[in-house]
Amino acid sequence: MLVNADLHIHSKYSMATSPKMDLPTLASESRKKGIQLVATGDCLHPRWLAEIKKLKEEKGVFRLDGAYFVLTTEVEDANQVHHLLIVPSISKAQELYEFMKPRSNNIDSDGRPNVRLNGEEIAQAAHDAGALIGPAHAFTPWTAMYAYHNSLKECYGDMAENIYFLELGLSADTSYADRIPELRCLTFLSNSDAHSPYVNKLAREFNRFEMEEISFDELRMAIIREKGRKPVLNVGFYPEEGKYNESACIRCFRHYTHRESIIKSWSCSCGGTIKKGVKDRVNELATYNEPKHPAHRPPYLHLIPLSEIIAMAMGMGTNTKGVQGIWNALIERYGSEVAVLVDSDIKNSGVDKRVVDAIIALRCGKVKVHAGGGGQYGRIELSAEPMNKNNCELQKSLFDF
Ligand SMILES: [Zn+2]
Ligand SMILES: [Zn+2]
Protein backbone atom coordinates (compact mmCIF):
# COMPACT_ATOMS: atom_id res chain seq x y z
CA MET A 1 0.00 0.00 0.00
CA LEU A 2 1.02 3.61 -0.54
CA VAL A 3 1.18 5.74 2.58
CA ASN A 4 1.54 9.52 2.68
CA ALA A 5 3.48 10.55 5.76
CA ASP A 6 4.55 13.82 7.34
CA LEU A 7 7.21 12.90 9.88
CA HIS A 8 8.12 16.24 11.44
CA ILE A 9 5.68 18.55 13.21
CA HIS A 10 5.51 20.28 16.60
CA SER A 11 2.79 20.10 19.22
CA LYS A 12 1.25 22.94 21.22
CA TYR A 13 4.01 22.28 23.80
CA SER A 14 6.77 23.60 21.54
CA MET A 15 7.67 27.29 21.43
CA ALA A 16 5.86 29.47 18.89
CA THR A 17 3.28 26.87 17.90
CA SER A 18 -0.46 27.12 17.50
CA PRO A 19 -2.55 26.14 20.57
CA LYS A 20 -4.57 24.09 18.06
CA MET A 21 -1.66 21.69 17.63
CA ASP A 22 -3.59 19.01 19.49
CA LEU A 23 -4.26 15.41 18.47
CA PRO A 24 -7.92 15.72 17.34
CA THR A 25 -7.15 18.74 15.13
CA LEU A 26 -4.05 17.07 13.68
CA ALA A 27 -6.11 13.96 12.91
CA SER A 28 -8.90 15.85 11.15
CA GLU A 29 -6.58 18.18 9.23
CA SER A 30 -4.41 15.24 8.09
CA ARG A 31 -7.48 13.55 6.71
CA LYS A 32 -8.42 16.63 4.69
CA LYS A 33 -4.86 16.89 3.46
CA GLY A 34 -4.69 13.21 2.45
CA ILE A 35 -1.98 12.18 4.88
CA GLN A 36 -2.42 8.81 6.60
CA LEU A 37 0.60 8.81 8.91
CA VAL A 38 1.53 11.90 10.95
CA ALA A 39 4.33 12.56 13.38
CA THR A 40 3.30 13.34 16.93
CA GLY A 41 6.31 15.63 17.33
CA ASP A 42 7.56 16.47 20.84
CA CYS A 43 7.25 12.89 22.17
CA LEU A 44 9.70 13.52 25.02
CA HIS A 45 7.40 16.13 26.53
CA PRO A 46 5.65 14.49 29.52
CA ARG A 47 2.26 16.18 29.09
CA TRP A 48 2.15 15.59 25.33
CA LEU A 49 3.18 11.97 25.81
CA ALA A 50 0.40 11.57 28.39
CA GLU A 51 -2.12 12.74 25.76
CA ILE A 52 -0.71 10.37 23.13
CA LYS A 53 -0.84 7.47 25.61
CA LYS A 54 -4.63 7.73 25.75
CA LEU A 55 -4.92 6.79 22.06
CA LYS A 56 -5.31 3.23 20.86
CA GLU A 57 -1.85 1.83 20.14
CA GLU A 58 -1.10 -0.97 17.72
CA LYS A 59 2.32 -1.96 16.38
CA GLY A 60 3.97 1.26 17.45
CA VAL A 61 1.43 3.62 15.88
CA PHE A 62 -1.49 5.42 17.52
CA ARG A 63 -4.95 5.76 16.02
CA LEU A 64 -7.38 8.63 16.18
CA ASP A 65 -10.33 9.30 13.86
CA GLY A 66 -8.78 7.41 10.96
CA ALA A 67 -5.32 8.99 11.30
CA TYR A 68 -2.21 7.16 12.44
CA PHE A 69 0.43 8.85 14.59
CA VAL A 70 4.04 7.80 15.02
CA LEU A 71 6.18 9.05 17.90
CA THR A 72 8.78 11.58 16.87
CA THR A 73 10.76 14.36 18.46
CA GLU A 74 13.25 16.99 17.46
CA VAL A 75 16.12 17.76 19.80
CA GLU A 76 18.77 20.47 19.66
CA ASP A 77 22.26 19.26 20.57
CA ALA A 78 25.07 21.13 22.36
CA ASN A 79 26.30 22.47 19.00
CA GLN A 80 22.84 23.87 18.12
CA VAL A 81 22.21 21.15 15.54
CA HIS A 82 18.64 19.83 15.24
CA HIS A 83 18.05 16.09 14.98
CA LEU A 84 14.84 14.28 14.14
CA LEU A 85 14.11 11.05 16.02
CA ILE A 86 11.43 8.51 15.11
CA VAL A 87 10.71 6.44 18.20
CA PRO A 88 9.27 2.90 18.38
CA SER A 89 7.16 3.03 21.56
CA ILE A 90 5.98 4.99 24.60
CA SER A 91 8.41 3.11 26.84
CA LYS A 92 11.35 3.95 24.55
CA ALA A 93 10.26 7.61 24.50
CA GLN A 94 10.26 7.50 28.31
CA GLU A 95 13.73 5.94 28.33
CA LEU A 96 15.04 8.69 26.08
CA TYR A 97 13.39 11.27 28.33
CA GLU A 98 15.04 9.79 31.46
CA PHE A 99 18.41 9.79 29.71
CA MET A 100 18.13 13.37 28.46
CA LYS A 101 16.45 14.97 31.48
CA PRO A 102 19.65 15.41 33.56
CA ARG A 103 21.27 16.91 30.45
CA SER A 104 18.55 19.43 29.62
CA ASN A 105 17.16 22.57 31.25
CA ASN A 106 13.95 22.72 29.25
CA ILE A 107 12.85 19.17 28.50
CA ASP A 108 9.73 19.66 30.69
CA SER A 109 8.83 23.04 29.25
CA ASP A 110 9.70 22.94 25.54
CA GLY A 111 8.54 20.18 23.20
CA ARG A 112 11.78 20.67 21.26
CA PRO A 113 14.35 20.36 24.06
CA ASN A 114 17.96 21.52 24.11
CA VAL A 115 20.28 18.83 25.41
CA ARG A 116 23.93 19.02 26.46
CA LEU A 117 25.02 16.13 24.25
CA ASN A 118 26.73 16.09 20.87
CA GLY A 119 25.37 14.50 17.71
CA GLU A 120 27.23 11.24 18.30
CA GLU A 121 25.89 10.89 21.86
CA ILE A 122 22.32 11.59 20.79
CA ALA A 123 22.64 9.15 17.90
CA GLN A 124 23.95 6.51 20.31
CA ALA A 125 21.00 7.06 22.66
CA ALA A 126 18.57 6.89 19.74
CA HIS A 127 20.21 3.71 18.47
CA ASP A 128 20.01 2.10 21.94
CA ALA A 129 16.29 2.93 22.04
CA GLY A 130 15.67 1.39 18.61
CA ALA A 131 14.81 4.84 17.22
CA LEU A 132 15.79 6.20 13.83
CA ILE A 133 17.70 9.48 13.79
CA GLY A 134 18.88 11.92 11.16
CA PRO A 135 19.64 15.60 10.70
CA ALA A 136 16.55 17.84 10.58
CA HIS A 137 16.33 20.49 7.80
CA ALA A 138 19.98 19.64 7.18
CA PHE A 139 21.02 22.65 5.11
CA THR A 140 19.41 25.64 6.86
CA PRO A 141 21.96 28.26 7.89
CA TRP A 142 21.29 27.81 11.58
CA THR A 143 20.36 24.94 13.89
CA ALA A 144 21.25 22.45 11.17
CA MET A 145 23.97 19.89 10.58
CA TYR A 146 25.57 21.55 7.56
CA ALA A 147 25.44 24.96 9.22
CA TYR A 148 28.06 23.80 11.73
CA HIS A 149 29.61 20.68 10.19
CA ASN A 150 31.00 19.73 6.81
CA SER A 151 30.10 16.05 6.93
CA LEU A 152 27.94 13.43 8.61
CA LYS A 153 31.08 12.06 10.24
CA GLU A 154 31.91 15.44 11.77
CA CYS A 155 28.44 15.61 13.30
CA TYR A 156 27.80 11.99 14.27
CA GLY A 157 31.34 10.57 14.66
CA ASP A 158 31.37 6.78 14.68
CA MET A 159 27.57 6.73 14.71
CA ALA A 160 27.48 8.22 11.18
CA GLU A 161 26.94 4.77 9.69
CA ASN A 162 23.73 4.42 11.70
CA ILE A 163 22.21 7.48 10.06
CA TYR A 164 19.68 6.27 7.49
CA PHE A 165 17.89 9.47 6.58
CA LEU A 166 18.36 13.17 6.11
CA GLU A 167 15.55 15.70 6.18
CA LEU A 168 15.90 18.06 3.21
CA GLY A 169 14.07 21.06 4.68
CA LEU A 170 11.94 23.53 2.77
CA SER A 171 14.85 25.28 1.03
CA ALA A 172 16.34 22.16 -0.57
CA ASP A 173 15.20 19.22 -2.67
CA THR A 174 16.72 16.04 -4.07
CA SER A 175 18.50 17.93 -6.87
CA TYR A 176 20.46 19.85 -4.23
CA ALA A 177 21.29 16.99 -1.88
CA ASP A 178 22.29 14.51 -4.61
CA ARG A 179 25.26 16.72 -5.51
CA ILE A 180 26.89 15.58 -2.25
CA PRO A 181 28.40 12.07 -2.50
CA GLU A 182 28.18 11.19 1.22
CA LEU A 183 24.38 11.38 1.04
CA ARG A 184 24.05 8.81 -1.71
CA CYS A 185 23.00 5.93 0.55
CA LEU A 186 20.60 7.95 2.69
CA THR A 187 16.84 8.21 2.30
CA PHE A 188 15.71 11.80 1.94
CA LEU A 189 12.70 12.88 3.93
CA SER A 190 10.55 15.84 2.99
CA ASN A 191 8.50 16.91 6.02
CA SER A 192 6.51 20.01 6.90
CA ASP A 193 8.04 20.97 10.30
CA ALA A 194 4.57 22.49 10.80
CA HIS A 195 3.85 24.68 13.81
CA SER A 196 0.19 25.08 12.86
CA PRO A 197 -2.25 22.29 11.92
CA TYR A 198 -3.93 23.87 8.92
CA VAL A 199 -3.60 22.46 5.45
CA ASN A 200 -1.31 25.17 4.10
CA LYS A 201 1.25 24.24 6.80
CA LEU A 202 0.65 20.62 7.82
CA ALA A 203 2.12 18.31 5.18
CA ARG A 204 3.16 21.23 2.97
CA GLU A 205 5.97 18.70 2.39
CA PHE A 206 5.43 14.95 2.77
CA ASN A 207 6.74 11.52 1.78
CA ARG A 208 4.98 8.68 0.05
CA PHE A 209 6.11 5.20 1.12
CA GLU A 210 5.43 1.72 -0.16
CA MET A 211 4.65 -0.40 2.90
CA GLU A 212 2.56 -3.47 3.78
CA GLU A 213 0.64 -1.84 6.61
CA ILE A 214 0.93 1.22 8.83
CA SER A 215 3.20 0.30 11.72
CA PHE A 216 6.50 1.47 13.19
CA ASP A 217 8.39 -1.52 11.79
CA GLU A 218 7.01 -1.00 8.30
CA LEU A 219 7.97 2.68 8.45
CA ARG A 220 11.43 1.75 9.68
CA MET A 221 11.85 -0.70 6.81
CA ALA A 222 10.59 1.89 4.32
CA ILE A 223 13.13 4.45 5.53
CA ILE A 224 16.04 2.01 5.48
CA ARG A 225 14.64 0.46 2.26
CA GLU A 226 14.35 -3.15 3.29
CA LYS A 227 12.27 -6.04 1.89
CA GLY A 228 10.72 -3.93 -0.85
CA ARG A 229 9.53 -1.21 1.52
CA LYS A 230 10.74 2.15 0.28
CA PRO A 231 10.00 5.80 -0.33
CA VAL A 232 8.38 6.24 -3.74
CA LEU A 233 7.90 10.00 -3.83
CA ASN A 234 9.08 13.13 -2.09
CA VAL A 235 6.69 16.03 -2.28
CA GLY A 236 7.47 19.58 -1.34
CA PHE A 237 8.11 23.19 -2.09
CA TYR A 238 10.22 24.49 -4.88
CA PRO A 239 13.46 24.99 -2.94
CA GLU A 240 13.55 28.63 -4.06
CA GLU A 241 10.37 29.20 -2.04
CA GLY A 242 12.16 28.36 1.20
CA LYS A 243 13.05 31.25 3.47
CA TYR A 244 16.77 30.55 3.42
CA ASN A 245 17.25 29.61 -0.22
CA GLU A 246 19.54 32.47 -1.29
CA SER A 247 22.04 34.39 0.79
CA ALA A 248 20.29 37.51 2.06
CA CYS A 249 20.21 40.08 4.83
CA ILE A 250 18.13 39.01 7.83
CA ARG A 251 17.08 42.61 8.47
CA CYS A 252 16.25 44.15 5.07
CA PHE A 253 16.12 40.87 3.04
CA ARG A 254 18.38 42.22 0.29
CA HIS A 255 19.81 39.26 -1.66
CA TYR A 256 23.51 38.80 -2.37
CA THR A 257 25.48 36.35 -4.48
CA HIS A 258 27.97 34.20 -2.60
CA ARG A 259 30.84 36.30 -3.99
CA GLU A 260 29.24 39.59 -2.98
CA SER A 261 28.57 38.21 0.51
CA ILE A 262 32.22 37.30 0.95
CA ILE A 263 33.38 40.70 -0.33
CA LYS A 264 31.02 42.36 2.16
CA SER A 265 32.18 40.02 4.96
CA TRP A 266 28.55 38.84 5.40
CA SER A 267 27.49 42.31 6.52
CA CYS A 268 24.70 44.07 4.61
CA SER A 269 24.83 47.75 3.60
CA CYS A 270 21.99 48.31 6.13
CA GLY A 271 24.16 46.97 8.98
CA GLY A 272 22.27 43.65 9.19
CA THR A 273 23.84 40.22 8.88
CA ILE A 274 23.83 38.37 5.57
CA LYS A 275 22.78 34.76 6.20
CA LYS A 276 24.30 32.20 3.87
CA GLY A 277 21.58 30.62 1.74
CA VAL A 278 21.07 26.90 1.27
CA LYS A 279 21.91 27.23 -2.43
CA ASP A 280 25.34 28.69 -1.66
CA ARG A 281 25.97 26.23 1.16
CA VAL A 282 25.17 23.27 -1.10
CA ASN A 283 27.53 24.69 -3.74
CA GLU A 284 30.30 24.72 -1.12
CA LEU A 285 29.61 21.14 -0.05
CA ALA A 286 28.93 19.70 -3.51
CA THR A 287 31.34 17.53 -5.44
CA TYR A 288 29.11 17.27 -8.52
CA ASN A 289 27.92 20.24 -10.59
CA GLU A 290 24.77 18.34 -11.52
CA PRO A 291 22.86 15.98 -9.22
CA LYS A 292 23.70 12.28 -9.53
CA HIS A 293 20.63 10.43 -8.31
CA PRO A 294 21.22 6.90 -7.04
CA ALA A 295 18.85 4.25 -8.41
CA HIS A 296 16.85 4.13 -5.16
CA ARG A 297 16.06 7.86 -5.18
CA PRO A 298 12.35 8.53 -5.80
CA PRO A 299 11.18 11.49 -7.88
CA TYR A 300 10.66 14.81 -6.16
CA LEU A 301 7.35 16.43 -6.94
CA HIS A 302 7.14 20.19 -6.43
CA LEU A 303 3.81 21.37 -5.11
CA ILE A 304 2.27 24.33 -3.42
CA PRO A 305 -0.75 24.25 -1.09
CA LEU A 306 -4.11 24.12 -2.87
CA SER A 307 -5.47 27.25 -1.17
CA GLU A 308 -2.51 29.22 -2.52
CA ILE A 309 -3.06 27.92 -6.05
CA ILE A 310 -6.75 28.86 -5.92
CA ALA A 311 -5.86 32.28 -4.53
CA MET A 312 -3.34 32.86 -7.34
CA ALA A 313 -5.71 31.66 -10.05
CA MET A 314 -8.62 33.77 -8.82
CA GLY A 315 -6.60 36.81 -7.77
CA MET A 316 -8.04 36.65 -4.25
CA GLY A 317 -6.52 36.40 -0.78
CA THR A 318 -5.85 32.90 0.58
CA ASN A 319 -8.23 33.36 3.52
CA THR A 320 -11.18 34.74 1.55
CA LYS A 321 -14.61 33.09 1.35
CA GLY A 322 -14.25 32.67 -2.43
CA VAL A 323 -11.07 30.66 -2.07
CA GLN A 324 -12.47 28.61 0.81
CA GLY A 325 -15.60 27.78 -1.21
CA ILE A 326 -13.61 26.39 -4.15
CA TRP A 327 -11.28 24.56 -1.79
CA ASN A 328 -14.24 22.90 -0.03
CA ALA A 329 -15.89 21.93 -3.32
CA LEU A 330 -12.69 20.24 -4.53
CA ILE A 331 -12.08 18.40 -1.25
CA GLU A 332 -15.69 17.22 -1.13
CA ARG A 333 -15.42 15.83 -4.63
CA TYR A 334 -11.98 14.20 -4.48
CA GLY A 335 -11.60 13.46 -0.78
CA SER A 336 -8.38 15.27 0.09
CA GLU A 337 -5.94 17.94 -0.98
CA VAL A 338 -3.35 15.40 -2.11
CA ALA A 339 -6.02 13.71 -4.23
CA VAL A 340 -6.77 17.04 -5.92
CA LEU A 341 -3.17 18.11 -6.40
CA VAL A 342 -1.50 14.80 -7.21
CA ASP A 343 -3.75 11.84 -7.82
CA SER A 344 -6.92 12.85 -9.64
CA ASP A 345 -7.94 13.86 -13.12
CA ILE A 346 -9.48 17.19 -12.24
CA LYS A 347 -10.46 18.34 -15.73
CA ASN A 348 -14.15 17.80 -15.03
CA SER A 349 -14.14 19.02 -11.46
CA GLY A 350 -16.79 21.65 -12.15
CA VAL A 351 -14.86 24.46 -10.45
CA ASP A 352 -13.73 27.66 -12.18
CA LYS A 353 -11.59 26.82 -15.21
CA ARG A 354 -8.87 29.20 -14.03
CA VAL A 355 -8.33 26.99 -10.98
CA VAL A 356 -8.20 23.78 -13.04
CA ASP A 357 -5.73 25.40 -15.46
CA ALA A 358 -3.57 26.59 -12.56
CA ILE A 359 -3.39 23.10 -11.00
CA ILE A 360 -2.48 21.57 -14.36
CA ALA A 361 0.11 24.31 -15.00
CA LEU A 362 1.63 23.62 -11.62
CA ARG A 363 1.82 19.90 -12.37
CA CYS A 364 3.86 20.78 -15.48
CA GLY A 365 6.11 23.06 -13.46
CA LYS A 366 4.88 26.18 -15.24
CA VAL A 367 5.76 28.55 -12.47
CA LYS A 368 8.16 31.34 -11.77
CA VAL A 369 9.63 31.42 -8.29
CA HIS A 370 11.18 34.52 -6.77
CA ALA A 371 13.69 33.08 -4.35
CA GLY A 372 13.41 33.54 -0.60
CA GLY A 373 16.30 34.40 1.70
CA GLY A 374 17.29 35.89 5.04
CA GLY A 375 14.19 34.40 6.70
CA GLN A 376 11.69 35.63 4.12
CA TYR A 377 9.79 33.03 2.08
CA GLY A 378 10.07 33.09 -1.71
CA ARG A 379 7.12 34.03 -3.88
CA ILE A 380 5.59 31.96 -6.62
CA GLU A 381 3.61 32.94 -9.70
CA LEU A 382 2.18 30.98 -12.60
CA SER A 383 4.04 31.29 -15.86
CA ALA A 384 3.46 30.17 -19.45
CA GLU A 385 6.83 28.43 -19.55
CA PRO A 386 8.14 25.69 -17.27
CA MET A 387 10.81 26.88 -14.86
CA ASN A 388 13.04 23.93 -15.55
CA LYS A 389 12.66 21.64 -18.55
CA ASN A 390 13.88 18.48 -16.81
CA ASN A 391 11.58 19.10 -13.94
CA CYS A 392 8.74 19.65 -16.38
CA GLU A 393 9.26 16.23 -18.00
CA LEU A 394 9.49 14.59 -14.60
CA GLN A 395 6.36 16.27 -13.31
CA LYS A 396 4.47 15.33 -16.48
CA SER A 397 5.60 11.71 -16.24
CA LEU A 398 4.02 11.50 -12.79
CA PHE A 399 0.58 12.28 -14.11
CA ASP A 400 -0.77 9.85 -16.65
CA PHE A 401 -4.21 11.30 -17.14
ZN1 LIG B 1 14.41 22.39 13.79
ZN1 LIG C 1 20.20 44.60 5.12
Side-chain angles (χ1 to χ4, degrees):
M1 70 191 287
L2 295 176
V3 176
N4 296 327
D6 181 358
L7 299 173
H8 184 175
I9 63 127
H10 290 278
S11 77
K12 60 188 173 183
Y13 296 108
S14 273
M15 294 297 152
T17 53
S18 158
K20 289 304 290 173
M21 272 311 223
D22 55 44
L23 295 164
T25 310
L26 279 165
S28 69
E29 293 300 304
S30 306
R31 212 172 43 238
K32 285 188 231 162
K33 188 78 190 195
I35 298 294
Q36 292 85 39
L37 179 61
V38 204
T40 61
D42 303 357
C43 76
L44 304 183
H45 192 279
R47 284 163 64 196
W48 186 234
L49 195 63
E51 291 182 31
I52 299 164
K53 246 192 219 172
K54 290 183 195 147
L55 305 183
K56 185 173 164 349
E57 189 262 0
E58 206 178 315
K59 298 182 183 175
V61 289
F62 299 80
R63 294 209 64 173
L64 179 63
D65 299 338
Y68 290 82
F69 289 92
V70 62
L71 296 169
T72 69
T73 187
E74 186 183 36
V75 296
E76 180 173 317
D77 75 15
N79 301 310
Q80 288 173 277
V81 174
H82 286 190
H83 307 271
L84 178 65
L85 282 76
I86 306 171
V87 180
S89 65
I90 296 271
S91 61
K92 293 298 176 188
Q94 280 163 338
E95 266 177 49
L96 284 165
Y97 167 82
E98 294 300 335
F99 175 72
M100 290 184 187
K101 186 170 164 64
R103 298 160 176 93
S104 173
N105 295 332
N106 63 351
I107 198 162
D108 290 318
S109 55
D110 193 342
R112 205 264 304 119
N114 298 61
V115 292
R116 293 183 295 277
L117 294 164
N118 63 30
E120 185 173 8
E121 291 164 328
I122 293 175
Q124 183 67 57
H127 185 69
D128 293 348
L132 290 169
I133 179 171
H137 43 76
F139 302 101
T140 18
W142 34 39
T143 65
M145 182 177 80
Y146 284 123
Y148 306 109
H149 302 289
N150 290 310
S151 68
L152 287 161
K153 181 94 185 151
E154 223 181 277
C155 178
Y156 292 106
D158 288 344
M159 289 302 291
E161 56 202 64
N162 292 300
I163 305 300
Y164 293 104
F165 72 82
L166 168 139
E167 185 185 66
L168 293 164
L170 269 49
S171 294
D173 67 6
T174 304
S175 72
Y176 283 45
D178 272 337
R179 292 177 55 206
I180 302 169
E182 70 163 350
L183 303 180
R184 200 175 167 76
C185 294
L186 301 197
T187 288
F188 294 156
L189 296 182
S190 38
N191 299 317
S192 71
D193 200 352
H195 288 210
S196 135
Y198 302 111
V199 286
N200 60 341
K201 297 282 188 240
L202 183 69
R204 56 190 169 173
E205 302 212 333
F206 66 92
N207 315 275
R208 180 171 284 177
F209 295 109
E210 171 73 53
M211 359 202 298
E212 293 281 296
E213 59 175 2
I214 302 179
S215 69
F216 176 83
D217 278 341
E218 286 285 328
L219 176 64
R220 187 179 165 280
M221 283 193 278
I223 291 173
I224 67 179
R225 306 188 307 275
E226 225 176 52
K227 295 183 188 162
R229 280 70 160 177
K230 60 187 180 190
V232 293
L233 192 63
N234 288 108
V235 181
F237 277 24
Y238 283 89
E240 293 85 354
E241 280 187 272
K243 48 183 176 176
Y244 295 107
N245 184 260
E246 289 191 346
S247 297
C249 172
I250 59 171
R251 192 194 286 172
C252 74
F253 305 117
R254 183 170 161 188
H255 288 225
Y256 291 90
T257 64
H258 198 192
R259 217 180 105 76
E260 286 165 351
S261 309
I262 294 166
I263 291 167
K264 295 194 70 85
S265 307
W266 301 94
S267 174
C268 178
S269 309
C270 81
T273 302
I274 303 171
K275 216 47 178 158
K276 192 186 289 175
V278 166
K279 201 166 80 179
D280 290 335
R281 182 60 180 137
V282 169
N283 277 329
E284 282 179 342
L285 294 162
T287 302
Y288 314 130
N289 286 329
E290 292 294 326
K292 286 193 186 181
H293 302 297
H296 68 79
R297 188 75 64 220
Y300 193 107
L301 175 65
H302 296 110
L303 277 191
I304 56 175
L306 180 58
S307 57
E308 287 172 26
I309 301 173
I310 300 170
M312 260 192 305
M314 302 300 290
M316 296 174 182
T318 322
N319 293 321
T320 55
K321 274 216 170 84
V323 169
Q324 283 309 318
I326 296 172
W327 190 90
N328 284 330
L330 284 167
I331 300 306
E332 210 157 283
R333 174 151 185 169
Y334 297 101
S336 74
E337 188 163 323
V338 172
V340 175
L341 290 174
V342 186
D343 297 313
S344 306
D345 182 351
I346 46 143
K347 281 191 208 90
N348 301 315
S349 61
V351 301
D352 195 297
K353 188 173 178 303
R354 284 170 290 179
V355 173
V356 175
D357 289 346
I359 294 171
I360 292 169
L362 181 80
R363 287 178 179 179
C364 301
K366 289 181 179 171
V367 294
K368 190 167 178 218
V369 190
H370 305 272
Q376 189 180 52
Y377 283 110
R379 204 163 44 75
I380 201 160
E381 56 184 91
L382 297 168
S383 128
E385 284 303 311
M387 185 156 112
N388 168 334
K389 272 237 149 53
N390 293 337
N391 189 48
C392 176
E393 290 310 311
L394 169 71
Q395 304 258 125
K396 265 193 197 149
S397 70
L398 293 169
F399 304 106
D400 47 6
F401 330 114

